[in-house]
Amino acid sequence: MFKRILIANRGEIAQRIIRTCREMGIETVAVYSQADADALYLRQADETICIGAPPGARSYLNIPSIISAAEIADVEAIHPGYGFLSENSHFAEVCNSCNITFIGPSPESIEAVGNKANARALAKKAGVPIVPGSDGPVPDEAVALRTAKRLGYPVMIKAAAGGGGRGMRIARNDPSLVSGFHAAKSEAEAAFGDGTVYLEKYIENPRHVEFQILGDQHGELIHLFERDCSIQRRHQKLVEESPSPLMTPELREAMGAAAIRVAKAAGYHNAGTVEFLVDKHLNFYFIEVNARIQVEHSVTELVTGLDLIEQQIRMAAGEPLSLRQDQVEQRGHAIEVRINAEDPDRDFKPSPGRIEMFVPPGGPGVRLDSHAYSGYRIPPNYDSMIGKLMAHRPTREHAIRCLSRALGEFIIEGPKTTIPLLIKVLDHPEFRSGDHDTGFVARHFGVTPAKVPIKEAR
Ligand code: MV4
């Protein structure tokens, strides 16, 4: 096992990784930007190294700075967390060539699934249902028009290098397909340096269901059941839960097996997520693979009782999987909400600044993963998530009530937060029914003219 790990990340996930390392007897090296000098995770690490200026590109995304820190601190492995360099195959390769273990899949697997058109082809070859669409990348307008004619409108134009909703366009007729094709292409070229796009039939208001997978370096793969992430706003998840309210034992069996077939086809090891869309007839379609630990991994930890960071570290160290598929259990119901320092009344505008008072909730069934504290100054440079609040109870109804009461106890003074909105979501009859889809937030909490606030003079 590793003696010393560097964490190439910040905030909540840096703290989360340090906690597991402590329990495993592994020393931790935390890196930080000048904007994070007073961050909590720095007090919890064994060693800290400043890696640069506040902008991500000059710190948490700066490969030479991070590798230098790893060399100076003499670590054996790097955990990339989520975001930043976590799905950068070049970074994984640089780590490996410096004899530092990248805690994640191989560079080849990251590359194979990072290209979404390629991931589709892998899934198809593995016999996993994919959304009807183009046969590979769409090279020009003519192929786009011909493909859309075959599929029927509406269709979606997606960037092969994209994911998580970036570089996507919906087209409902030929003219919007042609303009969307070029718009998606140049957006993808600018954002990812790769303008490759492909086409899919647009599925109206699907459910978003993803399967957590775990694989060792000896070819064994298991899944840790599903998470339902249908409550999203502009591709940012607000609520995640497991089990999915729409799931049946048969569907779970079929989707879990499909997730593993996709991962096998990509030669995948370590932790990953296979994302599916589910339509109203409970047909499921593979959409993409996330080659990292995700924000919502903790929901799976609650229902399975496993520590996914520990599993990642063990898999990266070459250990075989310690449990078989039939030994993984899904106990009770877990729900997580992401608490962001944003103002829901100002179009979710980030609300950085000093937290004057921070009083976390507690009690039975509650877990809080947060790096915030009274007096903490939220830097304006990074994403606005200040914590994840979770409830784990025997039933969905009980978990919702538990999480709603915990949110009600939470005191965060200073920045505006999404807590009031999250309480409204949890208390909404449609969410309580479990029969909601990815259109939920837009339908019930979208900006309507009456709700548009009058701009104030500052
Ligand atoms: C789709 C889709 C419908 N049809 N693809 C969004 C994020 C990325 N992971 C995949 N996403 C979607 N892909 C097809 N062919 C619907 C989504 C989607 C979504 C779309 C609009 C608004 C909210 C959404 C939430 C989840 C998924």
Side-chain angles (χ1 to χ4, degrees), residues 131-132 155-156 158 163-166 168 170 200-208 229-230 232 234-235 275 277 287-288 438-439:
V131 185
V155 299
M156 248 183 154
K158 295 187 173 184
R166 293 170 309 167
M168 292 188 346
I170 301 171
E200 280 180 2
K201 173 88 185 164
Y202 179 62
I203 299 174
E204 304 270 1
N205 293 334
R207 296 282 288 234
H208 176 123
C229 308
S230 298
Q232 310 194 1
R234 300 202 184 152
H235 308 300
E275 285 188 17
L277 298 180
I287 48 169
E288 56 191 72
T438 48

